[in-house]
mmCIF file of all heavy atoms in Angstrom:
data_model
loop_
_atom_site.group_PDB
_atom_site.id
_atom_site.type_symbol
_atom_site.label_atom_id
_atom_site.label_comp_id
_atom_site.label_asym_id
_atom_site.label_seq_id
_atom_site.Cartn_x
_atom_site.Cartn_y
_atom_site.Cartn_z
ATOM 1 N N PHE A 380 14.940 1.942 -20.375
ATOM 2 C CA PHE A 380 13.953 0.865 -20.479
ATOM 3 C C PHE A 380 12.858 0.933 -19.409
ATOM 4 O O PHE A 380 11.667 0.954 -19.757
ATOM 5 C CB PHE A 380 14.641 -0.496 -20.455
ATOM 6 C CG PHE A 380 13.688 -1.644 -20.635
ATOM 7 C CD1 PHE A 380 13.251 -2.000 -21.889
ATOM 8 C CD2 PHE A 380 13.223 -2.348 -19.547
ATOM 9 C CE1 PHE A 380 12.363 -3.053 -22.067
ATOM 10 C CE2 PHE A 380 12.334 -3.398 -19.706
ATOM 11 C CZ PHE A 380 11.901 -3.750 -20.972
ATOM 12 N N PRO A 381 13.186 0.971 -18.105
ATOM 13 C CA PRO A 381 12.101 0.967 -17.113
ATOM 14 C C PRO A 381 11.269 2.250 -17.111
ATOM 15 O O PRO A 381 10.174 2.283 -16.553
ATOM 16 C CB PRO A 381 12.830 0.784 -15.781
ATOM 17 C CG PRO A 381 14.216 1.261 -16.032
ATOM 18 C CD PRO A 381 14.500 0.965 -17.480
ATOM 19 N N ASN A 382 11.769 3.296 -17.759
ATOM 20 C CA ASN A 382 11.023 4.546 -17.855
ATOM 21 C C ASN A 382 10.169 4.621 -19.111
ATOM 22 O O ASN A 382 9.293 5.475 -19.207
ATOM 23 C CB ASN A 382 11.989 5.729 -17.827
ATOM 24 C CG ASN A 382 12.708 5.827 -16.515
ATOM 25 O OD1 ASN A 382 12.117 6.164 -15.512
ATOM 26 N ND2 ASN A 382 13.982 5.495 -16.516
ATOM 27 N N ASN A 383 10.439 3.753 -20.071
ATOM 28 C CA ASN A 383 9.730 3.789 -21.346
ATOM 29 C C ASN A 383 8.775 2.628 -21.565
ATOM 30 O O ASN A 383 7.839 2.744 -22.338
ATOM 31 C CB ASN A 383 10.727 3.789 -22.515
ATOM 32 C CG ASN A 383 11.506 5.072 -22.617
ATOM 33 O OD1 ASN A 383 11.143 6.082 -22.045
ATOM 34 N ND2 ASN A 383 12.599 5.027 -23.338
ATOM 35 N N ILE A 384 9.043 1.498 -20.921
ATOM 36 C CA ILE A 384 8.263 0.292 -21.204
ATOM 37 C C ILE A 384 7.747 -0.335 -19.915
ATOM 38 O O ILE A 384 8.514 -0.612 -18.999
ATOM 39 C CB ILE A 384 9.114 -0.723 -21.997
ATOM 40 C CG1 ILE A 384 9.500 -0.086 -23.335
ATOM 41 C CG2 ILE A 384 8.365 -2.025 -22.199
ATOM 42 C CD1 ILE A 384 10.378 -0.919 -24.200
ATOM 43 N N ALA A 385 6.444 -0.529 -19.863
ATOM 44 C CA ALA A 385 5.812 -1.192 -18.721
ATOM 45 C C ALA A 385 5.831 -2.692 -18.982
ATOM 46 O O ALA A 385 5.150 -3.186 -19.880
ATOM 47 C CB ALA A 385 4.382 -0.703 -18.540
ATOM 48 N N THR A 386 6.621 -3.402 -18.211
ATOM 49 C CA THR A 386 6.684 -4.868 -18.325
ATOM 50 C C THR A 386 5.695 -5.507 -17.362
ATOM 51 O O THR A 386 5.825 -6.664 -17.002
ATOM 52 C CB THR A 386 8.103 -5.366 -18.009
ATOM 53 O OG1 THR A 386 8.439 -4.960 -16.682
ATOM 54 C CG2 THR A 386 9.110 -4.810 -18.996
ATOM 55 N N PHE A 387 4.715 -4.747 -16.969
ATOM 56 C CA PHE A 387 3.742 -5.175 -15.969
ATOM 57 C C PHE A 387 2.354 -4.705 -16.370
ATOM 58 O O PHE A 387 2.197 -3.822 -17.213
ATOM 59 C CB PHE A 387 4.109 -4.595 -14.593
ATOM 60 C CG PHE A 387 4.203 -3.094 -14.598
ATOM 61 C CD1 PHE A 387 3.084 -2.305 -14.364
ATOM 62 C CD2 PHE A 387 5.414 -2.460 -14.853
ATOM 63 C CE1 PHE A 387 3.168 -0.923 -14.387
ATOM 64 C CE2 PHE A 387 5.510 -1.072 -14.873
ATOM 65 C CZ PHE A 387 4.383 -0.305 -14.642
ATOM 66 N N SER A 388 1.356 -5.303 -15.771
ATOM 67 C CA SER A 388 -0.012 -4.811 -15.887
ATOM 68 C C SER A 388 -0.414 -4.298 -14.512
ATOM 69 O O SER A 388 0.220 -4.610 -13.501
ATOM 70 C CB SER A 388 -0.958 -5.916 -16.374
ATOM 71 O OG SER A 388 -0.933 -7.013 -15.483
ATOM 72 N N VAL A 389 -1.438 -3.494 -14.477
ATOM 73 C CA VAL A 389 -1.899 -2.907 -13.219
ATOM 74 C C VAL A 389 -3.168 -3.623 -12.799
ATOM 75 O O VAL A 389 -4.171 -3.610 -13.517
ATOM 76 C CB VAL A 389 -2.147 -1.393 -13.373
ATOM 77 C CG1 VAL A 389 -2.687 -0.809 -12.091
ATOM 78 C CG2 VAL A 389 -0.867 -0.688 -13.798
ATOM 79 N N GLY A 390 -3.081 -4.279 -11.635
ATOM 80 C CA GLY A 390 -4.239 -4.967 -11.086
ATOM 81 C C GLY A 390 -4.978 -4.064 -10.117
ATOM 82 O O GLY A 390 -4.680 -2.877 -10.001
ATOM 83 N N ALA A 391 -5.918 -4.618 -9.395
ATOM 84 C CA ALA A 391 -6.732 -3.840 -8.464
ATOM 85 C C ALA A 391 -5.888 -3.131 -7.420
ATOM 86 O O ALA A 391 -6.159 -1.991 -7.066
ATOM 87 C CB ALA A 391 -7.755 -4.746 -7.793
ATOM 88 N N SER A 392 -4.851 -3.779 -6.933
ATOM 89 C CA SER A 392 -4.065 -3.141 -5.880
ATOM 90 C C SER A 392 -2.559 -3.273 -6.071
ATOM 91 O O SER A 392 -1.806 -2.900 -5.184
ATOM 92 C CB SER A 392 -4.460 -3.736 -4.523
ATOM 93 O OG SER A 392 -4.181 -5.119 -4.512
ATOM 94 N N SER A 393 -2.136 -3.826 -7.218
ATOM 95 C CA SER A 393 -0.699 -4.020 -7.391
ATOM 96 C C SER A 393 -0.317 -4.115 -8.867
ATOM 97 O O SER A 393 -1.178 -4.201 -9.739
ATOM 98 C CB SER A 393 -0.247 -5.290 -6.664
ATOM 99 O OG SER A 393 -0.842 -6.425 -7.263
ATOM 100 N N GLU A 394 0.987 -4.112 -9.106
ATOM 101 C CA GLU A 394 1.518 -4.337 -10.440
ATOM 102 C C GLU A 394 1.877 -5.813 -10.559
ATOM 103 O O GLU A 394 2.414 -6.400 -9.625
ATOM 104 C CB GLU A 394 2.763 -3.477 -10.665
ATOM 105 C CG GLU A 394 2.469 -1.994 -10.618
ATOM 106 C CD GLU A 394 3.729 -1.144 -10.689
ATOM 107 O OE1 GLU A 394 4.826 -1.696 -10.936
ATOM 108 O OE2 GLU A 394 3.621 0.069 -10.499
ATOM 109 N N VAL A 395 1.577 -6.400 -11.710
ATOM 110 C CA VAL A 395 1.835 -7.814 -11.956
ATOM 111 C C VAL A 395 2.800 -7.931 -13.127
ATOM 112 O O VAL A 395 2.530 -7.385 -14.213
ATOM 113 C CB VAL A 395 0.522 -8.567 -12.272
ATOM 114 C CG1 VAL A 395 0.789 -10.019 -12.588
ATOM 115 C CG2 VAL A 395 -0.472 -8.408 -11.136
ATOM 116 N N GLU A 396 3.929 -8.621 -12.939
ATOM 117 C CA GLU A 396 4.892 -8.813 -14.026
ATOM 118 C C GLU A 396 4.236 -9.568 -15.167
ATOM 119 O O GLU A 396 3.538 -10.559 -14.955
ATOM 120 C CB GLU A 396 6.113 -9.598 -13.536
ATOM 121 C CG GLU A 396 7.009 -8.812 -12.626
ATOM 122 C CD GLU A 396 8.216 -9.619 -12.155
ATOM 123 O OE1 GLU A 396 8.179 -10.874 -12.213
ATOM 124 O OE2 GLU A 396 9.189 -8.990 -11.718
ATOM 125 N N GLU A 397 4.486 -9.102 -16.385
ATOM 126 C CA GLU A 397 3.960 -9.746 -17.583
ATOM 127 C C GLU A 397 5.106 -10.477 -18.269
ATOM 128 O O GLU A 397 6.024 -9.853 -18.788
ATOM 129 C CB GLU A 397 3.364 -8.708 -18.540
ATOM 130 C CG GLU A 397 2.074 -8.097 -18.055
ATOM 131 C CD GLU A 397 0.892 -9.045 -18.141
ATOM 132 O OE1 GLU A 397 0.974 -10.074 -18.846
ATOM 133 O OE2 GLU A 397 -0.126 -8.754 -17.494
ATOM 134 N N THR A 398 5.073 -11.786 -18.274
ATOM 135 C CA THR A 398 6.144 -12.569 -18.892
ATOM 136 C C THR A 398 5.998 -12.660 -20.409
ATOM 137 O O THR A 398 6.926 -13.053 -21.087
ATOM 138 C CB THR A 398 6.205 -13.985 -18.291
ATOM 139 O OG1 THR A 398 4.948 -14.627 -18.512
ATOM 140 C CG2 THR A 398 6.535 -13.930 -16.806
ATOM 141 N N ASP A 399 4.837 -12.284 -20.943
ATOM 142 C CA ASP A 399 4.612 -12.254 -22.383
ATOM 143 C C ASP A 399 4.865 -10.827 -22.879
ATOM 144 O O ASP A 399 4.077 -9.923 -22.588
ATOM 145 C CB ASP A 399 3.187 -12.676 -22.711
ATOM 146 C CG ASP A 399 2.909 -12.718 -24.211
ATOM 147 O OD1 ASP A 399 3.775 -12.282 -25.007
ATOM 148 O OD2 ASP A 399 1.816 -13.188 -24.574
ATOM 149 N N PRO A 400 5.947 -10.590 -23.630
ATOM 150 C CA PRO A 400 6.252 -9.233 -24.101
ATOM 151 C C PRO A 400 5.135 -8.602 -24.943
ATOM 152 O O PRO A 400 5.084 -7.385 -25.067
ATOM 153 C CB PRO A 400 7.523 -9.420 -24.931
ATOM 154 C CG PRO A 400 8.151 -10.651 -24.402
ATOM 155 C CD PRO A 400 7.000 -11.539 -24.005
ATOM 156 N N ALA A 401 4.246 -9.402 -25.501
ATOM 157 C CA ALA A 401 3.119 -8.837 -26.246
ATOM 158 C C ALA A 401 2.201 -8.034 -25.330
ATOM 159 O O ALA A 401 1.408 -7.211 -25.799
ATOM 160 C CB ALA A 401 2.338 -9.950 -26.945
ATOM 161 N N ASN A 402 2.309 -8.247 -24.021
ATOM 162 C CA ASN A 402 1.495 -7.507 -23.062
ATOM 163 C C ASN A 402 2.212 -6.283 -22.491
ATOM 164 O O ASN A 402 1.685 -5.617 -21.621
ATOM 165 C CB ASN A 402 1.067 -8.421 -21.911
ATOM 166 C CG ASN A 402 0.098 -9.478 -22.375
ATOM 167 O OD1 ASN A 402 -0.659 -9.261 -23.324
ATOM 168 N ND2 ASN A 402 0.116 -10.624 -21.727
ATOM 169 N N TRP A 403 3.415 -6.006 -22.966
ATOM 170 C CA TRP A 403 4.137 -4.809 -22.522
ATOM 171 C C TRP A 403 3.619 -3.603 -23.301
ATOM 172 O O TRP A 403 3.238 -3.702 -24.458
ATOM 173 C CB TRP A 403 5.626 -4.970 -22.748
ATOM 174 C CG TRP A 403 6.258 -6.058 -21.937
ATOM 175 C CD1 TRP A 403 5.666 -6.854 -20.992
ATOM 176 C CD2 TRP A 403 7.617 -6.484 -21.997
ATOM 177 N NE1 TRP A 403 6.573 -7.740 -20.474
ATOM 178 C CE2 TRP A 403 7.789 -7.538 -21.074
ATOM 179 C CE3 TRP A 403 8.709 -6.095 -22.754
ATOM 180 C CZ2 TRP A 403 9.006 -8.172 -20.882
ATOM 181 C CZ3 TRP A 403 9.914 -6.728 -22.569
ATOM 182 C CH2 TRP A 403 10.060 -7.752 -21.641
ATOM 183 N N ARG A 404 3.630 -2.455 -22.641
ATOM 184 C CA ARG A 404 3.091 -1.239 -23.246
ATOM 185 C C ARG A 404 4.015 -0.056 -22.966
ATOM 186 O O ARG A 404 4.829 -0.088 -22.058
ATOM 187 C CB ARG A 404 1.690 -0.926 -22.679
ATOM 188 C CG ARG A 404 0.635 -1.969 -22.973
ATOM 189 C CD ARG A 404 0.359 -2.062 -24.465
ATOM 190 N NE ARG A 404 -0.733 -2.936 -24.786
ATOM 191 C CZ ARG A 404 -0.610 -4.224 -25.103
ATOM 192 N NH1 ARG A 404 0.570 -4.800 -25.123
ATOM 193 N NH2 ARG A 404 -1.659 -4.935 -25.408
ATOM 194 N N PRO A 405 3.856 1.028 -23.729
ATOM 195 C CA PRO A 405 4.628 2.242 -23.466
ATOM 196 C C PRO A 405 4.309 2.801 -22.084
ATOM 197 O O PRO A 405 3.166 2.749 -21.623
ATOM 198 C CB PRO A 405 4.157 3.208 -24.552
ATOM 199 C CG PRO A 405 3.582 2.344 -25.616
ATOM 200 C CD PRO A 405 3.005 1.161 -24.906
ATOM 201 N N LEU A 406 5.326 3.346 -21.445
ATOM 202 C CA LEU A 406 5.155 3.873 -20.082
ATOM 203 C C LEU A 406 5.555 5.337 -19.974
ATOM 204 O O LEU A 406 5.218 6.003 -19.009
ATOM 205 C CB LEU A 406 5.992 3.037 -19.106
ATOM 206 C CG LEU A 406 5.888 3.356 -17.624
ATOM 207 C CD1 LEU A 406 4.451 3.134 -17.136
ATOM 208 C CD2 LEU A 406 6.847 2.502 -16.824
ATOM 209 N N LYS A 407 6.269 5.860 -20.954
ATOM 210 C CA LYS A 407 6.795 7.217 -20.873
ATOM 211 C C LYS A 407 5.684 8.218 -20.535
ATOM 212 O O LYS A 407 4.572 8.094 -21.017
ATOM 213 C CB LYS A 407 7.455 7.600 -22.189
ATOM 214 C CG LYS A 407 8.276 8.877 -22.104
ATOM 215 C CD LYS A 407 8.834 9.272 -23.444
ATOM 216 C CE LYS A 407 9.951 8.390 -23.871
ATOM 217 N NZ LYS A 407 10.595 8.818 -25.111
ATOM 218 N N PHE A 408 6.015 9.190 -19.723
ATOM 219 C CA PHE A 408 5.153 10.286 -19.288
ATOM 220 C C PHE A 408 4.174 9.887 -18.192
ATOM 221 O O PHE A 408 3.420 10.713 -17.721
ATOM 222 C CB PHE A 408 4.354 10.913 -20.434
ATOM 223 C CG PHE A 408 5.182 11.416 -21.564
ATOM 224 C CD1 PHE A 408 5.171 10.777 -22.781
ATOM 225 C CD2 PHE A 408 5.990 12.527 -21.410
ATOM 226 C CE1 PHE A 408 5.943 11.233 -23.833
ATOM 227 C CE2 PHE A 408 6.767 12.992 -22.456
ATOM 228 C CZ PHE A 408 6.734 12.339 -23.668
ATOM 229 N N ILE A 409 4.158 8.643 -17.782
ATOM 230 C CA ILE A 409 3.223 8.225 -16.736
ATOM 231 C C ILE A 409 4.007 8.093 -15.443
ATOM 232 O O ILE A 409 4.860 7.236 -15.304
ATOM 233 C CB ILE A 409 2.533 6.896 -17.100
ATOM 234 C CG1 ILE A 409 1.726 7.075 -18.382
ATOM 235 C CG2 ILE A 409 1.628 6.432 -15.957
ATOM 236 C CD1 ILE A 409 1.144 5.802 -18.938
ATOM 237 N N SER A 410 3.706 8.978 -14.497
ATOM 238 C CA SER A 410 4.471 8.966 -13.249
ATOM 239 C C SER A 410 3.651 8.503 -12.053
ATOM 240 O O SER A 410 4.205 8.207 -11.010
ATOM 241 C CB SER A 410 5.044 10.369 -12.970
ATOM 242 O OG SER A 410 4.011 11.324 -12.902
ATOM 243 N N ASP A 411 2.337 8.439 -12.208
ATOM 244 C CA ASP A 411 1.498 8.035 -11.082
ATOM 245 C C ASP A 411 0.480 7.005 -11.557
ATOM 246 O O ASP A 411 -0.433 7.314 -12.310
ATOM 247 C CB ASP A 411 0.781 9.258 -10.501
ATOM 248 C CG ASP A 411 -0.106 8.920 -9.319
ATOM 249 O OD1 ASP A 411 0.004 7.801 -8.767
ATOM 250 O OD2 ASP A 411 -0.919 9.779 -8.935
ATOM 251 N N LEU A 412 0.668 5.774 -11.113
ATOM 252 C CA LEU A 412 -0.249 4.701 -11.498
ATOM 253 C C LEU A 412 -1.324 4.454 -10.449
ATOM 254 O O LEU A 412 -2.145 3.556 -10.599
ATOM 255 C CB LEU A 412 0.539 3.405 -11.722
ATOM 256 C CG LEU A 412 1.519 3.419 -12.896
ATOM 257 C CD1 LEU A 412 2.433 2.198 -12.840
ATOM 258 C CD2 LEU A 412 0.768 3.459 -14.210
ATOM 259 N N SER A 413 -1.344 5.271 -9.396
ATOM 260 C CA SER A 413 -2.266 5.020 -8.291
ATOM 261 C C SER A 413 -3.702 5.415 -8.609
ATOM 262 O O SER A 413 -4.633 4.923 -7.981
ATOM 263 C CB SER A 413 -1.798 5.747 -7.030
ATOM 264 O OG SER A 413 -1.827 7.148 -7.233
ATOM 265 N N SER A 414 -3.901 6.312 -9.560
ATOM 266 C CA SER A 414 -5.266 6.663 -9.948
ATOM 267 C C SER A 414 -5.374 6.579 -11.458
ATOM 268 O O SER A 414 -4.454 6.937 -12.189
ATOM 269 C CB SER A 414 -5.635 8.069 -9.464
ATOM 270 O OG SER A 414 -4.759 9.023 -10.010
ATOM 271 N N LEU A 415 -6.498 6.095 -11.940
ATOM 272 C CA LEU A 415 -6.692 5.906 -13.373
ATOM 273 C C LEU A 415 -6.724 7.251 -14.091
ATOM 274 O O LEU A 415 -7.171 8.256 -13.533
ATOM 275 C CB LEU A 415 -7.983 5.137 -13.634
ATOM 276 C CG LEU A 415 -7.968 3.672 -13.211
ATOM 277 C CD1 LEU A 415 -9.324 3.029 -13.478
ATOM 278 C CD2 LEU A 415 -6.876 2.903 -13.938
ATOM 279 N N PRO A 416 -6.268 7.267 -15.342
ATOM 280 C CA PRO A 416 -6.288 8.509 -16.110
ATOM 281 C C PRO A 416 -7.709 8.912 -16.484
ATOM 282 O O PRO A 416 -8.628 8.096 -16.448
ATOM 283 C CB PRO A 416 -5.480 8.158 -17.363
ATOM 284 C CG PRO A 416 -5.655 6.684 -17.516
ATOM 285 C CD PRO A 416 -5.762 6.141 -16.121
ATOM 286 N N SER A 417 -7.855 10.170 -16.843
ATOM 287 C CA SER A 417 -9.148 10.651 -17.338
ATOM 288 C C SER A 417 -8.901 11.474 -18.597
ATOM 289 O O SER A 417 -7.856 12.093 -18.745
ATOM 290 C CB SER A 417 -9.858 11.501 -16.278
ATOM 291 O OG SER A 417 -9.092 12.644 -15.969
ATOM 292 N N ARG A 418 -9.871 11.466 -19.480
ATOM 293 C CA ARG A 418 -9.731 12.229 -20.724
ATOM 294 C C ARG A 418 -9.569 13.710 -20.394
ATOM 295 O O ARG A 418 -10.369 14.286 -19.691
ATOM 296 C CB ARG A 418 -10.939 12.019 -21.612
ATOM 297 C CG ARG A 418 -11.036 10.614 -22.110
ATOM 298 C CD ARG A 418 -12.188 10.443 -23.096
ATOM 299 N NE ARG A 418 -12.410 9.044 -23.352
ATOM 300 C CZ ARG A 418 -11.639 8.262 -24.097
ATOM 301 N NH1 ARG A 418 -10.583 8.774 -24.662
ATOM 302 N NH2 ARG A 418 -11.899 6.990 -24.265
#
């Protein structure tokens, strides 16, 4: 579960728990949230 589903959103400097499951997203394959992805 914690490796597949992000129960949080990413703010400017931290992760924020999302209590609404509709805001949860897939997390698999993402190992570094410190820099935004690029195409």
Side-chain angles (χ1 to χ4, degrees):
F380 183 81
N382 295 289
N383 291 343
I384 298 177
T386 59
F387 57 88
S388 59
V389 177
S392 61
S393 65
E394 296 174 9
V395 177
E396 288 180 340
E397 289 287 344
T398 59
D399 182 352
N402 292 331
W403 295 357
R404 297 295 186 266
L406 184 62
K407 192 184 287 185
F408 304 110
I409 298 173
S410 58
D411 180 13
L412 295 168
S413 64
S414 60
L415 291 178
S417 62
R418 293 185 191 286

